[in-house]
Amino acid sequence: MFIHFYKNVLCIAVGIMLTMPMYAQFKRCGTTEAYTALFQTNPSFKNQFHNNQQRIIPSRRLLNARNIPLQATIPVVVHVILNGANQTKITDAVIQKQIDFLTTSFQGLNADTTRIPLVFKSRFGKGKLTFTLAKTDPEGNPTNGIVRVVRNNSFSLTTADDAKQNETGGSTAWDVTKYYNVWIIVFADNVLGVSVFPGDPRPLNVHGTVVDYRAFGVKERHELPQYNNGKTLVHETGHFFNLVHIWGDDNGRCDGTDFPDAPPEQDDTPNQTKETNGNPDPAGTGKIVKTDMCSPNKDTGIMYQNYMDYTDDAAVVMFTNGQFDRMEAALSTSIDRKLLLQSTTYLPPPPFTIDVTKGYSVTPNPFNSKVTIRLQQPITPLQYIQIISIDGQVIEQLEYAGGTTQSILNLDVSLLAKGLYIVVLGFSDGRKVSEKIIKQ
């Protein structure tokens, strides 16, 4: 059972070999370790998580699911929470290249698939998911899908969720039903990435992936040549879509599986004792077989080429057909993932039109945290903006000395309680106009 699978997880590799280079101390992934801690401290959380996971299972029992691969575009927002010096390393171009590579990897179009051994070629999965930086923000405005927060702080595996809130030194998640949120930070404890599984009962704003900047980007020189091919985000996105580590996190007992509760025909990865470290095939021949006590078959060996192993970036190159079945089941049925398929925030917003009879527009309505007021040209100077509760109380008032002729005004209304309000615009000619708005 899935709950039994996680029960004895000790997770993460403790380190590679002492003879490896300095960067061997970094932990490829902290996801399983994070869940182990959550399960130990909160048994009710563990039960909720298990029950939610069980709801994803029925679609995994469908036969021939790969005949109709899921085709969808996933909008991504990247929150960069770094100091000034490190911000310059994670440029917009670096981010774009990494997101493009996420698409390349999930579609099986990466050039290094020549590393896949012949015996695994028939299991090599190719999906149709496309990842793209969001072009419309939560308020309906144009965006490049990148949020930059300049802070000289770092996080640890136990505080990674702090990166997901402004109030705790991070950057607040955009609506996770419309965006795949990725945070780039400094992990002080040398974790490279951590993600959240579908079915996690915590508030939705923690659902997303956190990656250390030194493991983000494709062919970037961020101190860790072992992890500079962009594979950490691919690995963590696998977790986000419900993939388990390929060795089953069973602490070397050989009784774990990376397809818990799945039908036997879906499990198309060989069993293996534990994670793989380093690069067993440095020449990239695809002919190096690595075996262990769980997979002694010298004709196949373990699938250390799989993205869900801990092998160096240079060596991991594939998902399997069964893994795509599992990810697509989560995307299609898990309430905290399937709404992503309906999101259109990867498209630019439609042109805003101002009602000429009003001379202004207030968008979005309903709103979440921001309201944008657009005024028609030529603009009569605006002297004040009021936000009034339904019972007539002035909640907020902004005054503009001498009046303002700005055509676009953005209001931060994130602290307002949910409900109905009236926004009042007062102009220098004595005219007042009002509009009902709803905080959702």
PDB file of all heavy atoms in Angstrom, residues 38-65:
ATOM      1  N   LEU A  38       6.934  15.058   7.889  1.00  0.00           N
ATOM      2  CA  LEU A  38       5.518  15.398   8.034  1.00  0.00           C
ATOM      3  C   LEU A  38       4.713  14.215   8.564  1.00  0.00           C
ATOM      4  O   LEU A  38       3.847  14.366   9.437  1.00  0.00           O
ATOM      5  CB  LEU A  38       4.951  15.851   6.691  1.00  0.00           C
ATOM      6  CG  LEU A  38       5.349  17.246   6.210  1.00  0.00           C
ATOM      7  CD1 LEU A  38       4.948  17.443   4.752  1.00  0.00           C
ATOM      8  CD2 LEU A  38       4.704  18.322   7.067  1.00  0.00           C
ATOM      9  N   PHE A  39       4.977  13.019   8.053  1.00  0.00           N
ATOM     10  CA  PHE A  39       4.239  11.841   8.489  1.00  0.00           C
ATOM     11  C   PHE A  39       4.525  11.510   9.954  1.00  0.00           C
ATOM     12  O   PHE A  39       3.645  11.079  10.688  1.00  0.00           O
ATOM     13  CB  PHE A  39       4.601  10.641   7.611  1.00  0.00           C
ATOM     14  CG  PHE A  39       4.154  10.765   6.176  1.00  0.00           C
ATOM     15  CD1 PHE A  39       4.770  10.018   5.182  1.00  0.00           C
ATOM     16  CD2 PHE A  39       3.121  11.615   5.814  1.00  0.00           C
ATOM     17  CE1 PHE A  39       4.362  10.120   3.864  1.00  0.00           C
ATOM     18  CE2 PHE A  39       2.704  11.733   4.501  1.00  0.00           C
ATOM     19  CZ  PHE A  39       3.318  10.973   3.522  1.00  0.00           C
ATOM     20  N   GLN A  40       5.758  11.715  10.371  1.00  0.00           N
ATOM     21  CA  GLN A  40       6.128  11.390  11.748  1.00  0.00           C
ATOM     22  C   GLN A  40       5.491  12.343  12.752  1.00  0.00           C
ATOM     23  O   GLN A  40       5.142  11.940  13.863  1.00  0.00           O
ATOM     24  CB  GLN A  40       7.648  11.396  11.892  1.00  0.00           C
ATOM     25  CG  GLN A  40       8.331  10.233  11.190  1.00  0.00           C
ATOM     26  CD  GLN A  40       9.849  10.346  11.229  1.00  0.00           C
ATOM     27  OE1 GLN A  40      10.401  11.410  11.527  1.00  0.00           O
ATOM     28  NE2 GLN A  40      10.528   9.258  10.899  1.00  0.00           N
ATOM     29  N   THR A  41       5.344  13.583  12.370  1.00  0.00           N
ATOM     30  CA  THR A  41       4.826  14.586  13.314  1.00  0.00           C
ATOM     31  C   THR A  41       3.312  14.746  13.235  1.00  0.00           C
ATOM     32  O   THR A  41       2.712  15.323  14.144  1.00  0.00           O
ATOM     33  CB  THR A  41       5.475  15.962  13.060  1.00  0.00           C
ATOM     34  OG1 THR A  41       5.220  16.360  11.708  1.00  0.00           O
ATOM     35  CG2 THR A  41       6.986  15.888  13.292  1.00  0.00           C
ATOM     36  N   ASN A  42       2.705  14.239  12.183  1.00  0.00           N
ATOM     37  CA  ASN A  42       1.273  14.460  12.001  1.00  0.00           C
ATOM     38  C   ASN A  42       0.618  13.226  11.371  1.00  0.00           C
ATOM     39  O   ASN A  42       0.428  13.174  10.153  1.00  0.00           O
ATOM     40  CB  ASN A  42       1.047  15.696  11.134  1.00  0.00           C
ATOM     41  CG  ASN A  42      -0.398  16.148  11.139  1.00  0.00           C
ATOM     42  OD1 ASN A  42      -1.311  15.385  11.454  1.00  0.00           O
ATOM     43  ND2 ASN A  42      -0.622  17.399  10.769  1.00  0.00           N
ATOM     44  N   PRO A  43       0.239  12.244  12.182  1.00  0.00           N
ATOM     45  CA  PRO A  43      -0.378  11.025  11.633  1.00  0.00           C
ATOM     46  C   PRO A  43      -1.655  11.299  10.854  1.00  0.00           C
ATOM     47  O   PRO A  43      -1.942  10.610   9.870  1.00  0.00           O
ATOM     48  CB  PRO A  43      -0.661  10.194  12.889  1.00  0.00           C
ATOM     49  CG  PRO A  43       0.317  10.685  13.901  1.00  0.00           C
ATOM     50  CD  PRO A  43       0.467  12.150  13.629  1.00  0.00           C
ATOM     51  N   SER A  44      -2.454  12.294  11.253  1.00  0.00           N
ATOM     52  CA  SER A  44      -3.688  12.579  10.526  1.00  0.00           C
ATOM     53  C   SER A  44      -3.382  13.098   9.120  1.00  0.00           C
ATOM     54  O   SER A  44      -4.105  12.815   8.163  1.00  0.00           O
ATOM     55  CB  SER A  44      -4.537  13.597  11.283  1.00  0.00           C
ATOM     56  OG  SER A  44      -3.872  14.848  11.389  1.00  0.00           O
ATOM     57  N   PHE A  45      -2.290  13.871   9.000  1.00  0.00           N
ATOM     58  CA  PHE A  45      -1.833  14.322   7.683  1.00  0.00           C
ATOM     59  C   PHE A  45      -1.504  13.121   6.810  1.00  0.00           C
ATOM     60  O   PHE A  45      -1.879  13.060   5.632  1.00  0.00           O
ATOM     61  CB  PHE A  45      -0.612  15.222   7.838  1.00  0.00           C
ATOM     62  CG  PHE A  45       0.062  15.588   6.540  1.00  0.00           C
ATOM     63  CD1 PHE A  45      -0.304  16.728   5.849  1.00  0.00           C
ATOM     64  CD2 PHE A  45       1.065  14.789   6.003  1.00  0.00           C
ATOM     65  CE1 PHE A  45       0.308  17.061   4.650  1.00  0.00           C
ATOM     66  CE2 PHE A  45       1.690  15.110   4.807  1.00  0.00           C
ATOM     67  CZ  PHE A  45       1.303  16.259   4.135  1.00  0.00           C
ATOM     68  N   LYS A  46      -0.834  12.152   7.391  1.00  0.00           N
ATOM     69  CA  LYS A  46      -0.443  10.950   6.654  1.00  0.00           C
ATOM     70  C   LYS A  46      -1.681  10.225   6.125  1.00  0.00           C
ATOM     71  O   LYS A  46      -1.723   9.787   4.969  1.00  0.00           O
ATOM     72  CB  LYS A  46       0.373  10.036   7.562  1.00  0.00           C
ATOM     73  CG  LYS A  46       0.904   8.776   6.909  1.00  0.00           C
ATOM     74  CD  LYS A  46       1.751   8.013   7.913  1.00  0.00           C
ATOM     75  CE  LYS A  46       2.342   6.759   7.291  1.00  0.00           C
ATOM     76  NZ  LYS A  46       3.199   6.014   8.250  1.00  0.00           N
ATOM     77  N   ASN A  47      -2.712  10.112   6.944  1.00  0.00           N
ATOM     78  CA  ASN A  47      -3.930   9.431   6.522  1.00  0.00           C
ATOM     79  C   ASN A  47      -4.649  10.203   5.430  1.00  0.00           C
ATOM     80  O   ASN A  47      -5.148   9.622   4.461  1.00  0.00           O
ATOM     81  CB  ASN A  47      -4.852   9.226   7.728  1.00  0.00           C
ATOM     82  CG  ASN A  47      -4.297   8.230   8.722  1.00  0.00           C
ATOM     83  OD1 ASN A  47      -3.537   7.338   8.352  1.00  0.00           O
ATOM     84  ND2 ASN A  47      -4.659   8.381   9.984  1.00  0.00           N
ATOM     85  N   GLN A  48      -4.718  11.518   5.581  1.00  0.00           N
ATOM     86  CA  GLN A  48      -5.351  12.347   4.553  1.00  0.00           C
ATOM     87  C   GLN A  48      -4.621  12.220   3.230  1.00  0.00           C
ATOM     88  O   GLN A  48      -5.233  12.090   2.166  1.00  0.00           O
ATOM     89  CB  GLN A  48      -5.364  13.810   4.987  1.00  0.00           C
ATOM     90  CG  GLN A  48      -6.432  14.191   5.979  1.00  0.00           C
ATOM     91  CD  GLN A  48      -6.371  15.682   6.275  1.00  0.00           C
ATOM     92  OE1 GLN A  48      -5.538  16.157   7.054  1.00  0.00           O
ATOM     93  NE2 GLN A  48      -7.237  16.428   5.623  1.00  0.00           N
ATOM     94  N   PHE A  49      -3.295  12.267   3.314  1.00  0.00           N
ATOM     95  CA  PHE A  49      -2.479  12.156   2.105  1.00  0.00           C
ATOM     96  C   PHE A  49      -2.732  10.813   1.422  1.00  0.00           C
ATOM     97  O   PHE A  49      -2.941  10.747   0.208  1.00  0.00           O
ATOM     98  CB  PHE A  49      -1.007  12.304   2.473  1.00  0.00           C
ATOM     99  CG  PHE A  49      -0.065  12.187   1.310  1.00  0.00           C
ATOM    100  CD1 PHE A  49       0.114  13.245   0.439  1.00  0.00           C
ATOM    101  CD2 PHE A  49       0.651  11.025   1.083  1.00  0.00           C
ATOM    102  CE1 PHE A  49       0.980  13.145  -0.642  1.00  0.00           C
ATOM    103  CE2 PHE A  49       1.521  10.915   0.019  1.00  0.00           C
ATOM    104  CZ  PHE A  49       1.686  11.978  -0.848  1.00  0.00           C
ATOM    105  N   HIS A  50      -2.743   9.765   2.208  1.00  0.00           N
ATOM    106  CA  HIS A  50      -2.973   8.429   1.656  1.00  0.00           C
ATOM    107  C   HIS A  50      -4.347   8.339   0.999  1.00  0.00           C
ATOM    108  O   HIS A  50      -4.489   7.825  -0.114  1.00  0.00           O
ATOM    109  CB  HIS A  50      -2.854   7.386   2.764  1.00  0.00           C
ATOM    110  CG  HIS A  50      -3.323   6.021   2.353  1.00  0.00           C
ATOM    111  ND1 HIS A  50      -2.674   5.257   1.411  1.00  0.00           N
ATOM    112  CD2 HIS A  50      -4.396   5.291   2.746  1.00  0.00           C
ATOM    113  CE1 HIS A  50      -3.313   4.114   1.241  1.00  0.00           C
ATOM    114  NE2 HIS A  50      -4.368   4.114   2.044  1.00  0.00           N
ATOM    115  N   ASN A  51      -5.374   8.857   1.671  1.00  0.00           N
ATOM    116  CA  ASN A  51      -6.725   8.793   1.117  1.00  0.00           C
ATOM    117  C   ASN A  51      -6.832   9.579  -0.182  1.00  0.00           C
ATOM    118  O   ASN A  51      -7.499   9.146  -1.133  1.00  0.00           O
ATOM    119  CB  ASN A  51      -7.729   9.319   2.137  1.00  0.00           C
ATOM    120  CG  ASN A  51      -7.865   8.404   3.343  1.00  0.00           C
ATOM    121  OD1 ASN A  51      -7.586   7.218   3.264  1.00  0.00           O
ATOM    122  ND2 ASN A  51      -8.296   8.960   4.474  1.00  0.00           N
ATOM    123  N   ASN A  52      -6.186  10.741  -0.233  1.00  0.00           N
ATOM    124  CA  ASN A  52      -6.209  11.539  -1.456  1.00  0.00           C
ATOM    125  C   ASN A  52      -5.491  10.828  -2.592  1.00  0.00           C
ATOM    126  O   ASN A  52      -5.925  10.879  -3.759  1.00  0.00           O
ATOM    127  CB  ASN A  52      -5.583  12.912  -1.216  1.00  0.00           C
ATOM    128  CG  ASN A  52      -6.429  13.792  -0.325  1.00  0.00           C
ATOM    129  OD1 ASN A  52      -7.622  13.539  -0.134  1.00  0.00           O
ATOM    130  ND2 ASN A  52      -5.829  14.828   0.242  1.00  0.00           N
ATOM    131  N   GLN A  53      -4.381  10.170  -2.261  1.00  0.00           N
ATOM    132  CA  GLN A  53      -3.649   9.420  -3.284  1.00  0.00           C
ATOM    133  C   GLN A  53      -4.489   8.272  -3.833  1.00  0.00           C
ATOM    134  O   GLN A  53      -4.449   7.978  -5.025  1.00  0.00           O
ATOM    135  CB  GLN A  53      -2.346   8.881  -2.689  1.00  0.00           C
ATOM    136  CG  GLN A  53      -1.228   9.893  -2.593  1.00  0.00           C
ATOM    137  CD  GLN A  53      -0.509  10.053  -3.916  1.00  0.00           C
ATOM    138  OE1 GLN A  53      -0.347   9.092  -4.657  1.00  0.00           O
ATOM    139  NE2 GLN A  53      -0.078  11.264  -4.223  1.00  0.00           N
ATOM    140  N   GLN A  54      -5.289   7.649  -2.953  1.00  0.00           N
ATOM    141  CA  GLN A  54      -6.104   6.522  -3.386  1.00  0.00           C
ATOM    142  C   GLN A  54      -7.113   6.927  -4.453  1.00  0.00           C
ATOM    143  O   GLN A  54      -7.502   6.116  -5.287  1.00  0.00           O
ATOM    144  CB  GLN A  54      -6.853   5.931  -2.187  1.00  0.00           C
ATOM    145  CG  GLN A  54      -5.973   5.123  -1.238  1.00  0.00           C
ATOM    146  CD  GLN A  54      -5.487   3.841  -1.867  1.00  0.00           C
ATOM    147  OE1 GLN A  54      -4.347   3.751  -2.323  1.00  0.00           O
ATOM    148  NE2 GLN A  54      -6.342   2.846  -1.929  1.00  0.00           N
ATOM    149  N   ARG A  55      -7.521   8.199  -4.439  1.00  0.00           N
ATOM    150  CA  ARG A  55      -8.500   8.658  -5.415  1.00  0.00           C
ATOM    151  C   ARG A  55      -7.892   8.785  -6.817  1.00  0.00           C
ATOM    152  O   ARG A  55      -8.620   8.870  -7.805  1.00  0.00           O
ATOM    153  CB  ARG A  55      -9.072  10.006  -4.981  1.00  0.00           C
ATOM    154  CG  ARG A  55      -9.855   9.924  -3.669  1.00  0.00           C
ATOM    155  CD  ARG A  55     -10.551  11.236  -3.359  1.00  0.00           C
ATOM    156  NE  ARG A  55     -11.233  11.166  -2.082  1.00  0.00           N
ATOM    157  CZ  ARG A  55     -10.759  11.661  -0.944  1.00  0.00           C
ATOM    158  NH1 ARG A  55      -9.591  12.295  -0.944  1.00  0.00           N
ATOM    159  NH2 ARG A  55     -11.435  11.565   0.182  1.00  0.00           N
ATOM    160  N   ILE A  56      -6.566   8.837  -6.883  1.00  0.00           N
ATOM    161  CA  ILE A  56      -5.901   8.928  -8.184  1.00  0.00           C
ATOM    162  C   ILE A  56      -5.756   7.559  -8.817  1.00  0.00           C
ATOM    163  O   ILE A  56      -5.630   7.433 -10.028  1.00  0.00           O
ATOM    164  CB  ILE A  56      -4.510   9.594  -8.034  1.00  0.00           C
ATOM    165  CG1 ILE A  56      -4.637  10.946  -7.343  1.00  0.00           C
ATOM    166  CG2 ILE A  56      -3.828   9.767  -9.379  1.00  0.00           C
ATOM    167  CD1 ILE A  56      -3.302  11.604  -7.035  1.00  0.00           C
ATOM    168  N   ILE A  57      -5.826   6.516  -8.015  1.00  0.00           N
ATOM    169  CA  ILE A  57      -5.495   5.164  -8.463  1.00  0.00           C
ATOM    170  C   ILE A  57      -6.392   4.636  -9.573  1.00  0.00           C
ATOM    171  O   ILE A  57      -5.894   4.043 -10.528  1.00  0.00           O
ATOM    172  CB  ILE A  57      -5.496   4.192  -7.265  1.00  0.00           C
ATOM    173  CG1 ILE A  57      -4.317   4.515  -6.352  1.00  0.00           C
ATOM    174  CG2 ILE A  57      -5.409   2.745  -7.722  1.00  0.00           C
ATOM    175  CD1 ILE A  57      -4.351   3.788  -5.040  1.00  0.00           C
ATOM    176  N   PRO A  58      -7.739   4.822  -9.513  1.00  0.00           N
ATOM    177  CA  PRO A  58      -8.574   4.162 -10.522  1.00  0.00           C
ATOM    178  C   PRO A  58      -8.163   4.421 -11.960  1.00  0.00           C
ATOM    179  O   PRO A  58      -8.173   3.506 -12.783  1.00  0.00           O
ATOM    180  CB  PRO A  58      -9.968   4.741 -10.231  1.00  0.00           C
ATOM    181  CG  PRO A  58      -9.937   5.025  -8.768  1.00  0.00           C
ATOM    182  CD  PRO A  58      -8.530   5.500  -8.498  1.00  0.00           C
ATOM    183  N   SER A  59      -7.781   5.643 -12.295  1.00  0.00           N
ATOM    184  CA  SER A  59      -7.411   5.923 -13.681  1.00  0.00           C
ATOM    185  C   SER A  59      -6.109   5.245 -14.061  1.00  0.00           C
ATOM    186  O   SER A  59      -5.833   5.046 -15.237  1.00  0.00           O
ATOM    187  CB  SER A  59      -7.297   7.429 -13.910  1.00  0.00           C
ATOM    188  OG  SER A  59      -6.228   7.960 -13.183  1.00  0.00           O
ATOM    189  N   ARG A  60      -5.293   4.884 -13.065  1.00  0.00           N
ATOM    190  CA  ARG A  60      -4.046   4.193 -13.382  1.00  0.00           C
ATOM    191  C   ARG A  60      -4.312   2.741 -13.774  1.00  0.00           C
ATOM    192  O   ARG A  60      -3.436   2.056 -14.265  1.00  0.00           O
ATOM    193  CB  ARG A  60      -3.102   4.256 -12.170  1.00  0.00           C
ATOM    194  CG  ARG A  60      -2.616   5.649 -11.849  1.00  0.00           C
ATOM    195  CD  ARG A  60      -1.275   5.597 -11.161  1.00  0.00           C
ATOM    196  NE  ARG A  60      -1.322   4.924  -9.881  1.00  0.00           N
ATOM    197  CZ  ARG A  60      -1.499   5.537  -8.710  1.00  0.00           C
ATOM    198  NH1 ARG A  60      -1.690   6.837  -8.684  1.00  0.00           N
ATOM    199  NH2 ARG A  60      -1.486   4.861  -7.590  1.00  0.00           N
ATOM    200  N   ARG A  61      -5.520   2.270 -13.538  1.00  0.00           N
ATOM    201  CA  ARG A  61      -5.848   0.893 -13.887  1.00  0.00           C
ATOM    202  C   ARG A  61      -6.401   0.775 -15.312  1.00  0.00           C
ATOM    203  O   ARG A  61      -6.707  -0.312 -15.778  1.00  0.00           O
ATOM    204  CB  ARG A  61      -6.857   0.325 -12.885  1.00  0.00           C
ATOM    205  CG  ARG A  61      -6.322   0.365 -11.459  1.00  0.00           C
ATOM    206  CD  ARG A  61      -7.166  -0.479 -10.518  1.00  0.00           C
ATOM    207  NE  ARG A  61      -6.708  -0.355  -9.150  1.00  0.00           N
ATOM    208  CZ  ARG A  61      -5.642  -0.955  -8.642  1.00  0.00           C
ATOM    209  NH1 ARG A  61      -4.899  -1.714  -9.411  1.00  0.00           N
ATOM    210  NH2 ARG A  61      -5.301  -0.788  -7.375  1.00  0.00           N
ATOM    211  N   LEU A  62      -6.565   1.934 -15.952  1.00  0.00           N
ATOM    212  CA  LEU A  62      -7.046   1.896 -17.326  1.00  0.00           C
ATOM    213  C   LEU A  62      -5.982   1.300 -18.239  1.00  0.00           C
ATOM    214  O   LEU A  62      -4.806   1.643 -18.162  1.00  0.00           O
ATOM    215  CB  LEU A  62      -7.404   3.306 -17.805  1.00  0.00           C
ATOM    216  CG  LEU A  62      -8.567   3.992 -17.084  1.00  0.00           C
ATOM    217  CD1 LEU A  62      -8.714   5.420 -17.597  1.00  0.00           C
ATOM    218  CD2 LEU A  62      -9.861   3.225 -17.290  1.00  0.00           C
ATOM    219  N   LEU A  63      -6.387   0.416 -19.107  1.00  0.00           N
ATOM    220  CA  LEU A  63      -5.444  -0.197 -20.038  1.00  0.00           C
ATOM    221  C   LEU A  63      -5.266   0.708 -21.255  1.00  0.00           C
ATOM    222  O   LEU A  63      -6.150   1.471 -21.628  1.00  0.00           O
ATOM    223  CB  LEU A  63      -5.954  -1.574 -20.465  1.00  0.00           C
ATOM    224  CG  LEU A  63      -6.069  -2.613 -19.340  1.00  0.00           C
ATOM    225  CD1 LEU A  63      -6.671  -3.915 -19.892  1.00  0.00           C
ATOM    226  CD2 LEU A  63      -4.731  -2.885 -18.697  1.00  0.00           C
ATOM    227  N   ASN A  64      -4.106   0.583 -21.869  1.00  0.00           N
ATOM    228  CA  ASN A  64      -3.805   1.303 -23.113  1.00  0.00           C
ATOM    229  C   ASN A  64      -3.918   2.811 -22.960  1.00  0.00           C
ATOM    230  O   ASN A  64      -4.290   3.524 -23.897  1.00  0.00           O
ATOM    231  CB  ASN A  64      -4.726   0.828 -24.247  1.00  0.00           C
ATOM    232  CG  ASN A  64      -4.579  -0.655 -24.520  1.00  0.00           C
ATOM    233  OD1 ASN A  64      -3.471  -1.183 -24.518  1.00  0.00           O
ATOM    234  ND2 ASN A  64      -5.699  -1.330 -24.735  1.00  0.00           N
ATOM    235  N   ALA A  65      -3.594   3.316 -21.771  1.00  0.00           N
ATOM    236  CA  ALA A  65      -3.690   4.760 -21.554  1.00  0.00           C
ATOM    237  C   ALA A  65      -2.746   5.526 -22.471  1.00  0.00           C
ATOM    238  O   ALA A  65      -3.026   6.661 -22.841  1.00  0.00           O
ATOM    239  CB  ALA A  65      -3.387   5.086 -20.088  1.00  0.00           C
TER     240      ALA A  65
END
